[in-house]
Amino acid sequence: MAENRLMQSTANTPYKAVVIGGSTGSLDVLLPVLSVLKPPLTFSLVVVVHRKNTPNSPLATLLSVKTTLPVREVDDKDVMKPGCVYLAPADYHLLVEHDGTFSLDDSEKINFSRPAIDVTFESAADVYGAGVVGILLSGANADGTRGLKAIKQAGGITVAQQPATAQVAYMPQQAIDNAAVDRVLDVPELIQFINQLNEANQAL
């Protein structure tokens, strides 16, 4: 069924954005995934990770070291472009706007988190519909489940990390239990899946 959903989506619209959310333990997945993704990417890769707001955060630099793809921490009104990795800044919610830009919001925390994964998932679903893929990784709270529901309702593809492979299984397990995700993948399968999305876009 998941394979059919992938084929149906690519037949109707290219994938515009792959949005990856995670918390504790998610870097254990992000780093190996980024290191082997095959450029050029035909979509934007948006990363939302729960992290502390500390001066000179090294996360963007750390991600950059692991990939040949351009990585940037998002500034307000940045234009979203395919082929780039965009990182949500600490202490701001990250939204995707209908004019193809990002916006930052410092309103109250959601699920005790800012940035909240739900906010980015929901805004991407609203803008891109069936052209968005949401991926939820390791973490210790329920952030992301509501956003995956929005992506699924909009016709996009929803993915959760295999809980048995997560440092903290709670976040992906909540999505599996409550959001009816399309795929449950371990790290090698996730790498293959994202590369397949890219190949599907290239074939359009």
Side-chain angles (χ1 to χ4, degrees):
M1 179 178 176
E3 292 289 345
N4 289 339
R5 279 179 57 78
L6 177 59
M7 293 172 63
Q8 289 168 3
S9 291
T10 54
N12 296 323
T13 182
Y15 293 101
K16 297 292 188 179
V18 173
V19 187
I20 302 177
S23 188
T24 306
S26 60
L27 287 182
D28 293 341
V29 181
L30 278 170
L31 296 178
V33 166
L34 287 177
S35 69
V36 296
L37 288 183
K38 300 174 183 177
L41 287 186
T42 56
F43 44 75
S44 301
L45 190 64
V46 183
V47 176
V48 183
V49 177
H50 296 165
R51 56 189 175 123
K52 294 180 180 179
N53 185 15
T54 56
N56 302 316
S57 171
L59 184 54
T61 301
L62 179 61
L63 297 181
S64 295
V65 169
K66 293 295 182 178
T67 181
T68 58
L69 298 167
V71 177
R72 65 171 291 126
E73 188 168 279
V74 175
D75 288 321
D76 196 48
K77 304 305 180 186
D78 274 351
V79 177
M80 192 172 176
K81 298 178 181 178
C84 294
V85 179
Y86 294 99
L87 176 63
D91 214 27
Y92 287 94
H93 297 308
L94 178 65
L95 296 94
V96 179
E97 301 291 347
H98 285 276
D99 64 358
T101 65
F102 290 106
S103 64
L104 302 179
D105 180 271
D106 63 355
S107 60
E108 66 183 38
K109 294 181 179 181
I110 298 173
N111 287 310
F112 310 102
S113 304
R114 191 174 56 225
I117 300 164
D118 279 333
V119 171
T120 308
F121 278 0
E122 288 172 337
S123 67
D126 184 51
V127 172
Y128 292 121
V132 66
V133 177
I135 300 172
L136 193 61
L137 305 179
S138 173
N141 68 24
D143 193 18
T145 293
R146 191 182 73 197
L148 285 184
K149 288 180 181 179
I151 290 172
K152 192 174 182 70
Q153 290 170 356
I157 302 297
T158 55
V159 179
Q161 181 181 355
Q162 171 57 252
T165 70
Q167 182 179 325
V168 183
Y170 188 84
M171 183 176 284
Q173 190 64 60
Q174 283 293 300
I176 292 165
D177 292 344
N178 297 290
V181 299
D182 296 306
R183 298 193 180 194
V184 179
L185 304 177
D186 61 22
V187 178
E189 291 169 336
L190 182 58
I191 292 167
Q192 182 181 28
F193 173 71
I194 296 175
N195 281 325
Q196 286 175 340
L197 293 175
N198 198 38
E199 292 166 1
N201 270 5
Q202 292 171 343
L204 291 178

